[in-house]
Amino acid sequence: MPIRFDNVYVTSTGSFLPGAPVGNDDIDRYIAPINATSARIKRRILAENGITRRHYAIDANGETVLSNTQMAAMAINRCLSDGEVELQDVTILCTGSSGGDLAMPGFANMVQGELHAPPMTTSAHQGVCAAGMAALQHAATALELSDKGNALVTASEMPSRMFKHSRFAPRGYATDFDSHFLRWMLSDGAGACLLSKQPRRSGVSLKLKWIHNRSFSGDLPVCMQIGQPGGAQGRSYLDYPSLADAEADGAFLLRQDVRLLPHLFELGIHEYATLVQQAAFRPEQIDHFLCHYSSQKFAGVVEDLMQRAGLAIPRERWYSNLTWRGNTGAASIFIMLADFVRERELKPGQQILCFVPESGRFSISFMHLEVVEGDAAVQMCNIAPPHEAWPTQSAPASRLIQELASVWHEYRSRAWRSGLIRKIVAGEFTNADYVRWMSCWIPQVREGSRWMLAGASNLDPRYAALTALVSKHAGEERNDFKILFEDYRLAGGVAGMIEELRRNPGGEALNAYMNALASEPTPLGLLGAIYIIEGTGQRIIPALLPLLRDQLDLPSQAFRFLSYHGENDASHLERWLTAVEMAVQLSPGCERQILNVARHTAELYVLQMEHVL
């Protein structure tokens, strides 16, 4: 559930972007190519991210012009100059950044020192994009619990120092794509906002209704990091004999595992759907959507996922300054908010939703604001936020998909924390583990098409179109277990016949449950089971496949089954969506049955994962 606030207002904002804007044609003056592939990678990434201008706090020689601390202080000064509060009236200072100028002391203390600010409560939050939101939540909570005072929140980033040409010299300018990627994505800047217990006396304030910060670091591996060399999980730069040795091994190259990025937006949209279900907000009542994304192509991904869930916010209500400000990490949402407030003519009562996904080790942040003005705002100070019911105008299929999204969200988290996947992520999976996994999975997969065909045959004749759709799907997967058995044999499996293999206890329970459901009259609930099973193939298996290939000494042919499902389950889920639409139209009320089966299937699927090792 989000953390709600009664008496906290954003009363002014400010931002600071160092130097003149740097266009794509001039980027090489600051972030120079480092090897023969740099230019090609740069063209590809710039074409996708849509950024045309950005700012750097280094000069063309790679020398620092302004520090991260100085940029944060300048953003704060601009914020205060726009407000009705003096620095001596501030009692709380919270900062967010992926890193300050020094390893210690904390960034908040350095910013306070740069400002020559009086004694106050400080708190520094380190992370990636969501660090600023964590700082804002901390400041707002402290302010809400205090009798009076004001809080400053700033987020500042200076990644350019990590990208200059000389940083790659210790490795002879030889590096991998993961350390190339972010050089053309990130840039420098700082933003700030002032929080007060009362709205400003004149002009517009933004009432903070709630903040929702949630981390999924226990589920998924590290995606974006600096401090360990590529592929050396668990090793820190501090474990080397010297920092020079760490740098020579590439530990100080900022890397992002781009293969893991799809998980970020899946997590984000499921959190979004969950907040709607909890009546935190209603999409149709959001007037402005401030969405932080690192690349323009991801805006389409977010919009598509919203539409699929029936929870879309019209694109004309979106606001982003990515193309002309660049991606400034934790500072992005603060710079965006400052630009937004300055550019838009805001009206009292308008609702603003902010969304910040973080790929460091996967965190999701949302913030809900309401525009208030002058005396009207004061009257709202002690009004508790409403807890609205679910919108009744939602189509049955859309609501079902939204509820299934919550089921999937919980299942996905448990699956990633299962013993099986944790061992894969830790890089400790062996050929013997893979063979054991396949040996209990093969008989389970063989039964899959059987119970689907059995369920289709038990559908009433009026479901002829649905019967044909499910039968086609089952027919396409009828021989999948044979491919899986060949993979098992190539990996070293010794069973000569499939009949010699046995499901583990979790697999036995899942198989019994599926066959029992399929034998019932009109078993529409099986669509819930297909959602979980096919979703695993589309959303989890593709992330595991490269990890398995990296750590197992097996031929590529031993992963054919996993490769096939990673590539084709997207189309399978499209077919599933069609089937769900048919089901709810022909049998109103079947949604609860589908949802319950999805929940039970998720429980049993995690159980069979836990029994693999």
Side-chain angles (χ1 to χ4, degrees):
M1 291 289 290
I3 296 177
R4 297 180 181 273
F5 300 94
D6 291 334
N7 300 303
V8 177
Y9 298 82
V10 177
T11 54
S12 64
T13 60
S15 65
F16 177 79
L17 285 303
V22 177
N24 290 351
D25 292 339
D26 293 328
I27 195 171
D28 288 351
R29 295 177 54 217
Y30 301 85
I31 311 297
I34 55 178
N35 58 31
T37 62
S38 291
R40 177 175 54 81
I41 294 173
K42 176 184 126 178
R43 286 193 299 271
R44 170 186 163 187
I45 292 172
L46 290 176
E48 290 181 349
N49 66 31
I51 299 172
T52 60
R53 288 179 287 164
R54 77 281 294 145
H55 294 256
Y56 297 123
I58 59 173
D59 63 19
N61 296 317
E63 297 295 328
T64 297
V65 177
L66 290 167
S67 69
N68 205 21
T69 302
Q70 289 171 321
M71 288 194 295
M74 289 180 178
I76 286 175
N77 286 330
R78 291 185 177 183
C79 177
L80 290 173
S81 68
D82 182 53
E84 301 173 339
V85 171
E86 301 293 332
L87 182 59
Q88 58 264 28
D89 299 320
V90 174
T91 56
I92 301 165
L93 171 64
C94 294
T95 63
S97 180
S98 58
D101 302 297
L102 305 179
M104 62 175 70
F107 190 49
N109 300 102
M110 295 299 293
V111 173
Q112 182 187 12
E114 181 70 23
L115 292 166
H116 302 288
M120 60 180 63
T121 299
T122 62
S123 178
H125 298 256
Q126 183 178 355
V128 193
C129 296
M133 291 291 281
L136 201 156
Q137 178 178 298
H138 186 99
T141 302
L143 189 62
E144 178 95 342
L145 295 174
S146 64
D147 293 329
K148 59 182 180 178
N150 302 281
L152 275 170
V153 186
T154 183
S156 186
E157 299 284 18
M158 193 180 173
S160 62
R161 288 185 289 202
M162 306 309 302
F163 298 150
K164 51 192 177 184
H165 191 263
S166 59
R167 299 292 307 184
F168 296 82
R171 292 178 59 82
Y173 303 102
T175 187
D176 49 57
F177 178 82
D178 287 354
S179 58
H180 262 292
F181 179 69
L182 293 169
R183 299 180 78 232
W184 318 112
M185 298 288 288
L186 300 177
S187 54
D188 305 339
C193 65
L194 178 68
L195 304 181
S196 303
K197 297 280 288 184
Q198 298 285 336
R200 54 191 299 161
R201 291 182 294 274
S202 61
V204 165
S205 299
L206 303 178
K207 185 179 191 299
L208 180 59
K209 301 185 75 172
W210 54 257
I211 295 177
H212 179 74
N213 285 320
R214 202 174 186 201
S215 167
F216 296 86
S217 298
D219 298 1
L220 294 160
V222 174
C223 177
M224 179 179 174
Q225 60 84 17
I226 187 169
Q228 68 180 26
Q233 294 188 21
R235 190 176 193 191
S236 165
Y237 68 96
L238 294 171
D239 296 325
Y240 287 84
S242 71
L243 293 183
D245 290 328
E247 184 159 31
D249 199 28
F252 291 116
L253 299 181
L254 181 59
R255 285 185 167 89
Q256 182 156 57
D257 187 342
V258 295
R259 298 171 299 185
L260 293 173
L261 281 178
H263 291 287
L264 181 60
F265 294 97
E266 182 195 341
L267 290 171
I269 203 64
H270 282 92
E271 282 297 287
Y272 175 90
T274 299
L275 288 168
V276 175
Q277 282 188 284
Q278 293 172 347
F281 71 97
R282 291 171 59 166
E284 68 273 17
Q285 294 181 351
I286 297 299
D287 298 288
H288 304 283
F289 181 48
L290 277 58
C291 180
H292 167 59
Y293 41 80
S294 59
S295 179
Q296 284 286 3
K297 76 170 187 176
F298 290 138
V301 174
V302 174
E303 184 178 31
D304 180 62
L305 290 170
M306 285 179 168
Q307 289 176 343
R308 286 175 181 272
L311 299 173
I313 297 173
R315 193 62 179 272
E316 61 269 18
R317 300 182 188 177
W318 291 37
Y319 179 88
S320 171
N321 57 3
L322 176 70
T323 58
W324 71 93
R325 295 299 197 192
N327 180 358
T328 53
S332 291
I333 193 65
F334 290 84
I335 296 171
M336 192 186 308
L337 193 62
D339 283 349
F340 170 77
V341 170
R342 186 179 65 254
E343 294 173 9
R344 297 297 173 92
E345 184 178 349
L346 301 178
K347 299 178 181 179
Q350 288 184 329
Q351 307 294 308
I352 302 168
L353 183 68
C354 301
F355 171 38
V356 181
E358 175 184 305
S359 63
R361 196 160 183 174
F362 300 104
S363 297
I364 302 297
S365 296
F366 285 92
M367 176 170 63
H368 191 189
L369 303 160
E370 181 173 355
V371 180
V372 295
E373 186 171 15
D375 295 337
V378 178
Q379 300 172 11
M380 299 176 60
C381 286
N382 297 312
I383 300 176
H387 294 270
E388 299 166 311
W390 182 273
T392 56
Q393 67 269 26
S394 296
S398 294
R399 178 169 178 177
L400 171 61
I401 292 170
Q402 293 161 21
E403 292 180 315
L404 283 170
S406 295
V407 174
W408 170 265
H409 207 22
E410 173 65 22
Y411 160 70
R412 180 211 50 75
S413 179
R414 292 182 60 193
W416 276 95
R417 287 181 281 115
S418 68
L420 170 68
I421 296 183
R422 283 174 63 187
K423 193 170 185 180
I424 295 172
V425 170
E428 300 169 353
F429 210 64
T430 65
N431 288 10
D433 293 329
Y434 186 69
V435 168
R436 190 178 302 112
W437 182 19
M438 298 299 103
S439 69
C440 30
W441 199 9
I442 291 164
Q444 180 181 319
V445 172
R446 180 174 60 176
E447 289 295 321
S449 60
R450 293 179 179 177
W451 58 254
M452 275 192 275
L453 287 169
S457 67
N458 284 322
L459 290 171
D460 187 273
R462 66 194 181 97
Y463 295 96
L466 181 57
T467 300
L469 196 65
V470 175
S471 298
K472 179 181 179 182
H473 183 74
E476 288 181 1
E477 299 197 346
R478 183 171 50 193
N479 295 314
D480 280 5
F481 71 94
K482 296 180 181 178
I483 300 174
L484 189 55
F485 186 64
E486 291 175 10
D487 292 353
Y488 159 84
R489 295 282 293 174
L490 283 169
V494 296
M497 300 177 62
I498 292 175
E499 288 71 23
E500 298 175 33
L501 303 176
R502 294 289 180 270
R503 290 177 291 271
N504 65 33
E508 289 288 355
L510 178 63
N511 183 60
Y513 179 62
M514 293 295 101
N515 280 301
L517 282 174
S519 65
E520 296 177 356
T522 314
L524 296 177
L526 288 177
L527 291 172
I530 294 172
Y531 174 76
I532 296 296
I533 295 169
E534 296 294 342
T536 302
Q538 182 196 2
R539 302 166 185 170
I540 295 178
I541 294 300
L544 298 179
L545 185 55
L547 300 177
L548 291 169
R549 283 177 166 153
D550 287 346
Q551 60 195 273
L552 300 184
D553 184 21
L554 293 173
S556 60
Q557 295 92 327
F559 304 106
R560 287 186 306 156
F561 179 80
L562 300 183
S563 299
Y564 166 77
H565 273 272
E567 295 166 359
N568 291 279
D569 278 357
S571 60
H572 292 173
L573 282 172
E574 290 287 347
R575 187 181 296 155
W576 174 85
L577 286 168
T578 303
V580 166
E581 195 63 51
M582 289 181 184
V584 298
Q585 288 180 4
L586 291 168
S587 183
C590 70
E591 299 92 331
R592 191 55 46 192
Q593 181 187 2
I594 294 171
L595 189 64
N596 287 337
V597 171
R599 286 198 182 99
H600 295 152
T601 303
E603 290 282 343
L604 294 172
Y605 224 78
V606 171
L607 182 63
Q608 61 92 19
M609 287 182 181
E610 291 288 3
H611 279 278
V612 168
L613 304 178

